[in-house]
Amino acid sequence: MNRKKSLFFSIVVGALVYLFLSVYLGKEQSKLSNAKIIQADILNDYQAVEEEIRNSASLIKDVTFTKVNADTMGTSKLAGYAYETEAIARYRGCLLTLFGEPNEESTNMEQAFTYVIKAQRSDGSSWILTAYEGQSGFAIGGKQDVPLSAEMAYLLKQRIDEVEPSDFDRKGMTYPDTGEIYSYGCKNGICYANKEG
């Protein structure tokens, strides 16, 4: 009789565990599905905004970019373009080609370089942009509340993408969070990033 009770108890416990896991996993699956839907909506919204900026920027034909010594107060990230160190090296090499040495530089990879760039149209209107390597990689910043700032950032990125990177080599570049040290740069159009030590 004990064996029958034990078997019956095992069956009941197994069924309850199965029921619990089915309900729990069903809820978790539902959460995952909802998260994927939300993520897809955000991505679609981002792509729509990016397309709008690209279309608006394509109508602007009279912009020149010049490195300047200017105040960057009030500027913030408009768009991020590269997160891998090798890709960041390419952007830095291309900025060297276009504008020479940066306004500011450091061996801290989260503040490695900053260019302050003036975008100016033929009617005299202008925007202050920053091209920099920060905590989230290579980005272009500007004043978000100033009309056409995002378009100017997009046009600057296009201009950067059109040139070959200059040769450079920076050693002892450190990620403060991890303590990892890199050398990175470009030589003959090929850019690299190597972990030191």
Side-chain angles (χ1 to χ4, degrees), residues 37-48:
I37 290 169
I38 291 168
Q39 186 179 25
D41 286 346
I42 290 169
L43 184 59
N44 288 338
D45 289 347
Y46 176 77
Q47 288 171 337

Side-chain angles (χ1 to χ4, degrees), residues 92-189:
R92 185 168 184 170
C94 292
L95 286 162
L96 278 166
T97 300
L98 289 169
F99 305 111
E101 292 297 326
N103 295 72
E104 299 172 11
E105 63 182 315
S106 165
T107 57
N108 178 343
M109 291 292 271
E110 294 181 354
Q111 304 169 355
F113 63 87
T114 300
Y115 284 84
V116 182
I117 299 164
K118 181 178 181 180
Q120 186 163 343
R121 296 189 71 180
S122 56
D123 65 4
S125 56
S126 64
W127 296 256
I128 293 297
L129 303 172
T130 54
Y132 62 95
E133 180 178 358
Q135 289 180 325
S136 59
F138 174 70
I140 295 177
K143 296 188 177 182
Q144 294 184 356
D145 58 342
V146 175
L148 297 179
S149 287
E151 286 82 351
M152 292 302 143
Y154 178 81
L155 291 170
L156 175 58
K157 186 206 178 275
Q158 275 191 319
R159 182 72 184 105
I160 295 167
D161 287 340
E162 292 169 355
V163 301
E164 286 295 314
S166 291
D167 290 354
F168 78 98
D169 183 53
R170 295 295 185 274
K171 296 187 185 323
M173 303 298 293
T174 306
Y175 284 102
D177 291 345
T178 63
E180 293 178 330
I181 300 172
Y182 282 81
S183 60
Y184 78 143
C186 300
K187 182 147 182 78
N188 299 324

Side-chain angles (χ1 to χ4, degrees), residues 1-9:
M1 196 67 157
N2 263 348
R3 257 180 120 170
K4 284 184 181 178
K5 282 183 181 178
S6 179
L7 181 61
F8 177 73
F9 181 73

Side-chain angles (χ1 to χ4, degrees), residues 69-90:
N69 291 318
D71 184 9
T72 60
M73 290 297 291
T75 62
S76 59
K77 181 177 173 180
L78 295 171
Y81 294 109
Y83 308 98
E84 299 296 323
T85 308
E86 190 174 299
I88 295 168
R90 179 168 180 74

